[in-house]
């Protein structure tokens, strides 16, 4: 029997009538399935146990990172913050990273990776909350998605000071950092939403296909 990797997907929290509920796009699971893996949504539990049993971690998109985590006071009234999610994802990141397991960060995911490793964020930037734009990618990311793909854009925070272990892998025309990679560990983050760029599942940007980003994660499990 073929063993498919099991990837843990981080989740957002929403208040339900009877209890806190979890929320995340099902496109993440669909893309992992297309890449040859299975996705499991994080809904609390032992982080150590999950990091032992799961083969990789997908830090998904969502709200904003609390500025206190990167040594700043709150300067923008446009932040959507959940300190509980921040703490959960920090624990998940540390557990998977310390075990050398592969991690893919998407949108919020690239931001938390940078912060957890000692970098900072711009609390608010204009011009990236909706629409599409090109990015210039360097190796090895360019081998996955091309040297100059057009990507979607759904964020208003962005990487500012890059954490010392990480290297910039892509920038937007205005200089905004759009991807980070670790030079030796299996760790990659992108500011766009590749799960919305995998036809026929979802096609935000013409014929762009960013399934190779999920395949990158799966191959390293």
């Amino acid at each position: 029997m073929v063993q498919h990797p099991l990837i843990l997907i981080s989740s957002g929290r929403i208040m339900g009538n009877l209890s806190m509920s979890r929320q995340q796009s099902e496109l993440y699971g669909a893309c992992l399935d297309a890449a040859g893996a299975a996705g499991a949504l994080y809904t609390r539990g032992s982080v150590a146990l999950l990091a032992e049993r799961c083969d990789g971690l997908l830090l998904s998109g969502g709200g904003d990172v609390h500025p206190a985590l990167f040594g700043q006071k709150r300067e923008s009234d446009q932040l959507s913050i959940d300190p509980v999610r921040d703490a959960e994802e920090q624990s998940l990141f540390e557990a998977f990273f310390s075990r050398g397991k592969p991690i893919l960060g998407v949108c919020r995911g690239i931001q938390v990776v940078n912060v957890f490793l000692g970098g900072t964020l711009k609390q608010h930037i204009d011009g990236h909350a909706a629409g599409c734009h090109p990015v210039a990618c360097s190796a090895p990311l360019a081998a996955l998605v091309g040297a100059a793909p057009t990507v979607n854009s759904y964020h208003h925070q962005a990487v500012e000071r890059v954490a010392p272990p990480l290297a910039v892998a892509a920038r937007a025309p205005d200089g905004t950092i759009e991807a980070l990679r670790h030079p030796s560990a299996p760790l990659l983050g992108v500011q766009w939403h590749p799960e919305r760029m995998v036809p026929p599942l979802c096609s935000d940007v013409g014929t762009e296909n960013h399934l190779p980003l999920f395949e990158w994660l799966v191959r390293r499990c």
Side-chain angles (χ1 to χ4, degrees):
M1 179 182 295
V2 176
Q3 292 290 328
H4 296 286
L6 179 63
I7 308 298
L8 188 66
I9 306 168
S10 67
S11 60
R13 306 188 315 145
I14 55 173
M15 182 63 69
N17 290 330
L18 300 178
S19 67
M20 187 68 70
S21 299
R22 294 285 171 158
Q23 176 177 285
Q24 201 45 265
S25 170
E26 67 176 20
L27 287 173
Y28 290 111
C31 290
L32 290 171
D33 179 64
L41 192 68
Y42 176 74
T43 57
R44 298 192 71 172
S46 169
V47 169
L49 179 60
L50 289 166
E52 286 296 328
R53 294 193 177 182
C54 294
D55 302 295
L57 175 64
L58 197 163
L59 290 167
S60 57
D64 301 311
V65 183
H66 199 297
L69 288 177
F70 47 95
Q72 295 182 12
K73 295 181 178 179
R74 184 169 181 164
E75 298 173 353
S76 172
D77 58 4
Q78 299 188 39
L79 299 184
S80 175
I81 292 171
D82 181 357
V84 172
R85 182 175 181 179
D86 290 342
E88 288 178 349
E89 290 187 335
Q90 185 163 14
S91 295
L92 288 170
F93 173 79
E94 291 172 351
F96 279 80
F97 186 66
S98 66
R99 288 167 172 79
K101 295 194 173 184
I103 300 171
L104 175 64
V106 171
C107 198
R108 168 189 165 90
I110 185 179
Q111 297 170 8
V112 296
V113 164
N114 187 57
V115 168
F116 296 159
L117 288 175
T120 65
L121 303 179
K122 298 177 182 178
Q123 292 189 36
H124 178 76
I125 62 171
D126 294 319
H128 285 258
C132 303
H133 59 73
V135 294
C137 300
S138 59
L141 179 60
L144 298 176
V145 298
T150 297
V151 301
N152 54 34
S153 190
Y154 298 108
H155 64 105
H156 80 103
Q157 284 192 322
V159 172
E160 186 172 42
R161 188 183 74 245
V162 177
L166 301 177
V168 175
R171 289 186 184 271
D174 65 1
T176 297
I177 294 171
E178 292 280 338
L180 295 172
R181 65 178 182 86
H182 196 288
S184 56
L187 173 59
L188 178 64
V190 296
Q191 186 59 74
W192 60 91
H193 279 265
E195 80 281 5
R196 298 191 56 83
M197 298 172 60
V198 179
L201 299 173
C202 188
S203 300
D204 265 2
V205 189
T207 59
E208 293 277 4
N209 187 344
H210 284 209
L211 182 63
L213 290 173
F214 297 95
E215 293 173 336
W216 172 91
L217 178 62
V218 172
R219 285 197 305 270
R220 280 153 180 78
C221 290

